[in-house]
Coordinates of all heavy atoms in Angstrom, one line a residue:
G1 N -96.0 146.3 56.3 CA -95.7 147.5 57.2 C -94.3 147.8 57.3 O -93.9 148.7 58.1
E2 N -93.4 147.0 56.7 CA -91.9 147.3 56.8 C -91.5 148.3 55.8 O -91.9 148.3 54.6 CB -91.2 146.0 56.6 CG -91.4 144.9 57.6 CD -90.7 145.3 58.9 OE1 -89.8 146.2 58.9 OE2 -91.0 144.6 60.0
S3 N -90.5 149.1 56.2 CA -89.9 150.1 55.2 C -88.8 149.3 54.5 O -88.1 148.4 55.1 CB -89.3 151.3 56.0 OG -90.3 152.0 56.7
L4 N -88.5 149.7 53.3 CA -87.5 149.1 52.5 C -86.1 149.7 52.9 O -85.6 150.6 52.3 CB -87.7 149.2 51.0 CG -86.8 148.4 50.1 CD1 -86.9 146.9 50.4 CD2 -87.1 148.7 48.7
N5 N -85.6 149.2 54.0 CA -84.3 149.7 54.5 C -83.4 148.6 54.8 O -83.8 147.4 54.8 CB -84.5 150.6 55.7 CG -85.3 150.0 56.8 OD1 -85.2 148.8 57.0 ND2 -86.1 150.8 57.4
W6 N -82.1 148.9 55.2 CA -81.2 147.8 55.4 C -81.5 147.0 56.7 O -81.2 145.8 56.7 CB -79.7 148.4 55.5 CG -78.7 147.3 55.6 CD1 -77.9 147.0 56.7 CD2 -78.4 146.3 54.7 NE1 -77.1 146.0 56.4 CE2 -77.4 145.5 55.2 CE3 -78.9 146.0 53.4 CZ2 -76.8 144.4 54.5 CZ3 -78.3 144.9 52.7 CH2 -77.3 144.2 53.2
A7 N -82.1 147.6 57.6 CA -82.5 146.9 58.8 C -83.5 145.7 58.5 O -83.4 144.6 59.0 CB -83.2 147.8 59.8
Y8 N -84.4 146.0 57.6 CA -85.4 145.0 57.1 C -84.7 144.0 56.2 O -84.8 142.7 56.4 CB -86.5 145.6 56.4 CG -87.3 144.6 55.6 CD1 -88.2 143.7 56.2 CD2 -87.2 144.6 54.2 CE1 -88.9 142.8 55.5 CE2 -87.9 143.6 53.4 CZ -88.8 142.7 54.1 OH -89.5 141.8 53.3
L9 N -83.9 144.4 55.2 CA -83.3 143.5 54.3 C -82.3 142.6 54.9 O -82.1 141.4 54.5 CB -82.6 144.3 53.2 CG -83.5 145.1 52.2 CD1 -82.7 146.0 51.3 CD2 -84.4 144.2 51.5
S10 N -81.6 143.1 56.0 CA -80.5 142.3 56.6 C -80.9 141.5 57.8 O -80.2 140.7 58.3 CB -79.3 143.2 57.0 OG -79.8 144.1 58.0
A11 N -82.2 141.6 58.1 CA -82.7 140.8 59.3 C -82.6 139.3 58.9 O -82.9 138.9 57.8 CB -84.1 141.2 59.6
P12 N -82.2 138.4 59.9 CA -82.1 137.0 59.6 C -83.4 136.4 59.1 O -84.5 136.7 59.6 CB -81.6 136.4 60.9 CG -81.1 137.6 61.7 CD -81.9 138.8 61.3
V13 N -83.3 135.5 58.2 CA -84.5 134.6 57.8 C -84.1 133.2 58.1 O -83.3 132.5 57.5 CB -84.7 134.8 56.3 CG1 -85.9 133.8 55.9 CG2 -85.0 136.2 55.9
N14 N -84.7 132.7 59.3 CA -84.3 131.4 59.8 C -82.8 131.3 59.9 O -82.2 130.3 59.5 CB -84.9 130.3 58.9 CG -86.4 130.3 58.9 OD1 -87.0 130.7 59.9 ND2 -87.0 129.8 57.9
D15 N -82.1 132.3 60.4 CA -80.7 132.4 60.6 C -79.9 132.6 59.3 O -78.7 132.5 59.3 CB -80.1 131.3 61.5 CG -79.6 130.1 60.8 OD1 -80.0 129.8 59.7 OD2 -78.9 129.3 61.5
H16 N -80.6 132.8 58.2 CA -79.9 133.1 56.9 C -79.7 134.6 56.6 O -80.6 135.3 57.0 CB -80.6 132.4 55.7 CG -80.7 130.9 55.8 ND1 -79.6 130.1 55.6 CD2 -81.7 130.0 56.0 CE1 -79.9 128.9 55.7 NE2 -81.2 128.8 56.0
F17 N -78.7 134.9 55.9 CA -78.5 136.3 55.5 C -78.9 136.4 54.0 O -78.0 136.1 53.1 CB -77.0 136.7 55.7 CG -76.7 138.1 55.1 CD1 -77.5 139.2 55.3 CD2 -75.5 138.3 54.4 CE1 -77.2 140.4 54.8 CE2 -75.2 139.5 53.9 CZ -76.0 140.6 54.1
V18 N -80.1 136.7 53.7 CA -80.6 136.7 52.3 C -81.4 137.9 52.0 O -82.6 137.9 51.8 CB -81.5 135.4 52.1 CG1 -80.6 134.2 51.9 CG2 -82.4 135.2 53.2
P19 N -80.7 139.1 51.9 CA -81.4 140.3 51.5 C -82.2 140.3 50.2 O -83.2 141.0 50.0 CB -80.3 141.4 51.6 CG -79.1 140.6 51.4 CD -79.3 139.3 52.0
G20 N -81.7 139.5 49.3 CA -82.3 139.4 48.0 C -83.7 138.8 48.1 O -84.7 139.2 47.5
L21 N -83.8 137.7 48.9 CA -85.1 137.1 49.2 C -86.1 138.1 49.9 O -87.3 138.2 49.5 CB -85.0 135.9 50.1 CG -86.2 135.1 50.4 CD1 -86.1 133.6 50.4 CD2 -86.7 135.5 51.9
R22 N -85.6 138.8 50.9 CA -86.5 139.8 51.5 C -86.9 140.9 50.6 O -88.1 141.3 50.6 CB -85.7 140.4 52.7 CG -85.7 139.5 53.9 CD -85.2 140.3 55.2 NE -85.4 139.5 56.4 CZ -86.5 139.4 57.1 NH1 -87.5 140.1 56.7 NH2 -86.6 138.7 58.2
L23 N -86.0 141.3 49.7 CA -86.4 142.4 48.7 C -87.5 141.9 47.8 O -88.5 142.6 47.6 CB -85.2 142.8 47.9 CG -85.4 143.7 46.7 CD1 -86.0 145.0 47.2 CD2 -84.2 143.9 45.9
L24 N -87.4 140.7 47.3 CA -88.4 140.2 46.4 C -89.8 140.0 47.1 O -90.8 140.3 46.5 CB -88.0 139.0 45.7 CG -86.9 139.1 44.6 CD1 -86.7 137.9 43.8 CD2 -87.2 140.3 43.7
F25 N -89.7 139.5 48.3 CA -91.0 139.3 49.0 C -91.6 140.7 49.4 O -92.8 140.8 49.4 CB -90.8 138.4 50.2 CG -91.0 137.0 49.9 CD1 -89.9 136.1 49.8 CD2 -92.2 136.4 49.8 CE1 -90.0 134.8 49.4 CE2 -92.4 135.1 49.5 CZ -91.3 134.3 49.3
W26 N -90.8 141.6 49.7 CA -91.3 143.0 49.9 C -92.0 143.5 48.7 O -93.1 144.1 48.8 CB -90.1 143.9 50.3 CG -90.6 145.3 50.8 CD1 -90.8 145.6 52.1 CD2 -90.8 146.4 50.0 NE1 -91.1 147.0 52.2 CE2 -91.1 147.5 50.9 CE3 -90.7 146.7 48.7 CZ2 -91.4 148.8 50.5 CZ3 -91.0 148.0 48.2 CH2 -91.3 149.0 49.1
L27 N -91.4 143.3 47.5 CA -92.0 143.8 46.3 C -93.3 143.1 46.0 O -94.3 143.7 45.6 CB -91.0 143.6 45.1 CG -89.7 144.5 45.2 CD1 -88.8 144.1 44.1 CD2 -90.1 146.0 45.1
M28 N -93.3 141.8 46.2 CA -94.5 141.0 46.0 C -95.6 141.4 46.9 O -96.8 141.5 46.6 CB -94.2 139.5 46.1 CG -93.5 138.9 44.9 SD -93.4 137.1 45.0 CE -92.1 136.9 46.3
N29 N -95.3 141.7 48.2 CA -96.2 142.2 49.2 C -97.0 143.4 48.7 O -98.2 143.5 48.8 CB -95.5 142.4 50.5 CG -96.5 142.9 51.6 OD1 -96.9 144.1 51.6 ND2 -96.8 142.1 52.5
R30 N -96.2 144.3 48.0 CA -96.8 145.6 47.6 C -97.5 145.4 46.2 O -98.5 146.0 45.9 CB -95.7 146.7 47.4 CG -95.5 147.5 48.7 CD -95.0 146.7 49.8 NE -94.8 147.6 51.0 CZ -94.4 147.1 52.2 NH1 -94.2 145.7 52.3 NH2 -94.1 147.8 53.2
A31 N -96.9 144.6 45.3 CA -97.3 144.6 43.9 C -98.3 143.5 43.6 O -99.3 143.7 42.8 CB -96.1 144.5 43.0
T32 N -98.1 142.3 44.1 CA -99.0 141.1 43.7 C -99.8 140.6 44.8 O -100.8 140.0 44.5 CB -98.1 140.0 43.1 OG1 -97.2 139.5 44.2 CG2 -97.2 140.5 42.0
G33 N -99.4 140.7 46.1 CA -100.2 140.2 47.2 C -100.5 138.7 47.0 O -99.5 137.9 46.9
L34 N -101.7 138.3 47.0 CA -102.1 136.9 47.0 C -102.4 136.4 45.5 O -103.0 135.4 45.3 CB -103.3 136.6 47.9 CG -103.0 136.8 49.4 CD1 -104.3 136.5 50.1 CD2 -101.9 135.9 49.9
N35 N -101.9 137.2 44.5 CA -102.1 136.8 43.1 C -101.0 135.7 42.8 O -99.9 136.1 42.4 CB -102.0 138.0 42.2 CG -102.4 137.6 40.8 OD1 -102.2 136.5 40.3 ND2 -102.9 138.6 40.1
Y36 N -101.3 134.5 42.9 CA -100.4 133.4 42.7 C -100.0 133.3 41.2 O -98.8 132.9 40.9 CB -100.9 132.1 43.2 CG -100.0 130.9 43.2 CD1 -98.9 130.9 44.0 CD2 -100.1 129.9 42.3 CE1 -98.0 129.8 44.0 CE2 -99.3 128.8 42.2 CZ -98.2 128.8 43.1 OH -97.3 127.7 43.1
D37 N -100.9 133.6 40.3 CA -100.6 133.4 38.9 C -99.5 134.3 38.4 O -98.7 133.9 37.6 CB -101.9 133.7 38.0 CG -103.0 132.7 38.3 OD1 -102.7 131.6 38.7 OD2 -104.1 133.0 38.0
I38 N -99.4 135.5 39.0 CA -98.3 136.4 38.6 C -96.9 135.8 39.0 O -95.9 135.9 38.3 CB -98.4 137.7 39.3 CG1 -99.7 138.5 38.8 CG2 -97.2 138.6 39.1 CD1 -99.6 138.8 37.3
T39 N -96.9 135.1 40.2 CA -95.6 134.4 40.6 C -95.2 133.3 39.6 O -94.0 133.1 39.4 CB -95.7 133.9 42.0 OG1 -96.5 132.7 42.1 CG2 -96.3 134.9 43.0
I40 N -96.2 132.6 39.1 CA -95.9 131.6 38.1 C -95.3 132.2 36.8 O -94.3 131.7 36.3 CB -97.2 130.8 37.7 CG1 -97.7 130.0 38.9 CG2 -96.9 129.8 36.6 CD1 -99.0 129.3 38.7
I41 N -95.9 133.2 36.3 CA -95.3 133.9 35.2 C -93.9 134.4 35.4 O -93.0 134.2 34.6 CB -96.3 135.0 34.7 CG1 -97.6 134.5 34.3 CG2 -95.6 135.9 33.6 CD1 -98.7 135.5 34.0
A42 N -93.7 135.0 36.6 CA -92.4 135.5 36.9 C -91.3 134.4 37.0 O -90.2 134.5 36.5 CB -92.4 136.3 38.2
R43 N -91.7 133.2 37.6 CA -90.8 132.1 37.6 C -90.5 131.5 36.3 O -89.4 131.1 36.0 CB -91.3 131.1 38.6 CG -91.1 131.5 40.1 CD -91.8 130.4 41.0 NE -93.2 130.6 41.1 CZ -94.0 129.7 41.6 NH1 -93.6 128.6 42.1 NH2 -95.3 130.0 41.7
M44 N -91.6 131.5 35.4 CA -91.4 131.0 34.1 C -90.3 131.9 33.3 O -89.5 131.3 32.6 CB -92.7 131.0 33.3 CG -93.7 129.9 33.8 SD -95.4 130.2 33.1 CE -95.1 130.2 31.4

């Protein structure tokens, strides 16, 4: 339900400033969901 904007990307993650992590999880939320095999291929 989040829009891809700076407010979402810059929000703290356990007090960390990691917009790259938020961006990739936003993309996974839309593109892969609970498909774990795709994440394995991407990490490989």
Side-chain angles (χ1 to χ4, degrees):
E2 294 286 347
S3 300
L4 189 59
N5 52 38
W6 186 244
Y8 164 74
L9 293 175
S10 63
V13 177
N14 295 333
D15 90 339
H16 293 290
F17 174 46
V18 281
L21 178 139
R22 283 193 170 273
L23 172 62
L24 288 192
F25 272 101
W26 188 93
L27 293 172
M28 285 188 284
N29 178 284
R30 269 64 177 177
T32 63
L34 295 178
N35 188 330
Y36 186 71
D37 293 340
I38 295 295
T39 74
I40 295 177
I41 295 171
R43 282 176 282 167
M44 289 167 59

